[in-house]
Amino acid sequence: VQVAKHVVSDLVPSPSSPTLDPNDVLENFIEQIKTSLKERDCHEVTLSDMKVSGVVLFNGRLSGLGNMTRWGNTTLEMKSDCVFLNCTLLLKDLHVIFCWKRRKLKGEIAGRINRAFLTLKMKQKVRATSGQPALEEFGVQSVDTVQLGLHGLGPFNWLGKRILSEKVTDNVRVLIETKSKEIIKKELSNFSLVEHLSLSLIHQSITI
């Protein structure tokens, strides 16, 4: 890693540096996330109980956070002492499910989200003797309409869905942001922007 830091620090912010493709760095990070989730069997995450419009939602589960891909081009900012990686991630085919109850009534509510877009900015110091990338900025850019289904009210399922739809959709957005941020921050502790950038530079120098 120290060699990697010297390789990058020698080239940042030199205008004669070889052209870097930050997309490759992000693709490596995404692959690490997918592998980690698979190895830890974390295809599904549990959700905290909540109360929406007088209805208690419990035994919640969110799946699909591993269905992650790069959206658009990743940009790289180089300064004298650090590097920044800016990108947008696309989460596809997310599913959320809760059991619900109110007084003596109970049932299940499930939702599907086709797409959710996350924007993030990562930062890592180049010349620091230690340290990992930090998540400088993070947020949910947009979330497709949540396709909800509700069971437990028989012929009145449509009414229950109508009452809960807006509140559940707002909560799903927060849940996606919270859980995806937890995963990304955890994986950043085992990832080095500097190391991956230096490997890319060394590879380009060899192939030129």
Side-chain angles (χ1 to χ4, degrees), residues 19 24 28 34 44 60 70 73 96-97 100 111 115 117-121 142-143 154 157 159 168 193 197-198 203:
T19 302
D24 291 340
N28 288 331
K34 291 180 177 180
E44 216 175 51
R70 172 174 58 84
N73 286 320
V96 62
I97 186 169
W100 67 265
R115 301 187 307 174
F117 294 91
L118 312 175
T119 56
L120 56 150
K121 182 175 186 177
S142 64
V143 176
N157 282 334
L159 181 59
V168 170
L193 292 175
L197 287 170
S198 67
H203 176 74

Side-chain angles (χ1 to χ4, degrees), residues 20-60:
L20 289 168
D21 187 355
N23 289 331
D24 291 340
V25 178
L26 181 61
E27 295 288 357
N28 288 331
F29 182 55
I30 292 173
E31 190 58 35
Q32 175 181 305
I33 292 174
K34 291 180 177 180
T35 301
S36 177
L37 291 175
K38 185 176 181 181
E39 289 176 348
R40 294 186 288 118
D41 194 23
C42 292
H43 63 284
E44 216 175 51
V45 295
T46 57
L47 304 174
S48 301
D49 298 350
M50 63 180 72
K51 194 170 186 179
V52 178
S53 300
V55 178
V56 177
L57 303 180
F58 61 101
N59 288 345

Side-chain angles (χ1 to χ4, degrees), residues 62-173:
L62 175 64
S63 62
L65 291 176
N67 302 332
M68 182 183 295
T69 187
R70 172 174 58 84
W71 182 262
N73 286 320
T74 306
T75 61
L76 180 69
E77 298 176 41
M78 294 186 173
K79 295 188 177 180
S80 58
D81 62 341
C82 57
V83 292
F84 296 89
L85 204 69
N86 299 277
C87 63
T88 300
L89 299 178
L90 167 63
L91 299 177
K92 300 183 293 183
D93 198 23
L94 299 166
H95 294 265
V96 62
I97 186 169
F98 278 100
C99 294
W100 67 265
K101 63 181 178 181
R102 182 175 183 180
R103 297 175 184 173
K104 295 182 178 181
L105 299 174
K106 61 181 180 179
E108 188 177 86
I109 185 168
R112 177 184 177 185
I113 306 96
N114 288 330
R115 301 187 307 174
F117 294 91
L118 312 175
T119 56
L120 56 150
K121 182 175 186 177
M122 295 176 274
K123 171 188 176 181
Q124 184 172 1
K125 290 186 178 296
V126 174
R127 296 184 174 88
T129 55
S130 62
Q132 298 301 126
L135 199 56
E136 285 284 287
E137 298 174 12
F138 182 89
V140 175
Q141 186 181 60
S142 64
V143 176
D144 280 0
T145 302
V146 181
Q147 303 169 30
L148 281 179
L150 183 140
H151 303 282
L153 292 177
F156 296 103
N157 282 334
W158 67 272
L159 181 59
K161 184 173 75 171
R162 182 178 177 181
I163 293 171
L164 293 176
S165 181
E166 184 178 348
K167 294 291 186 181
V168 170
T169 298
D170 290 342
N171 278 282
V172 164
R173 182 187 180 98

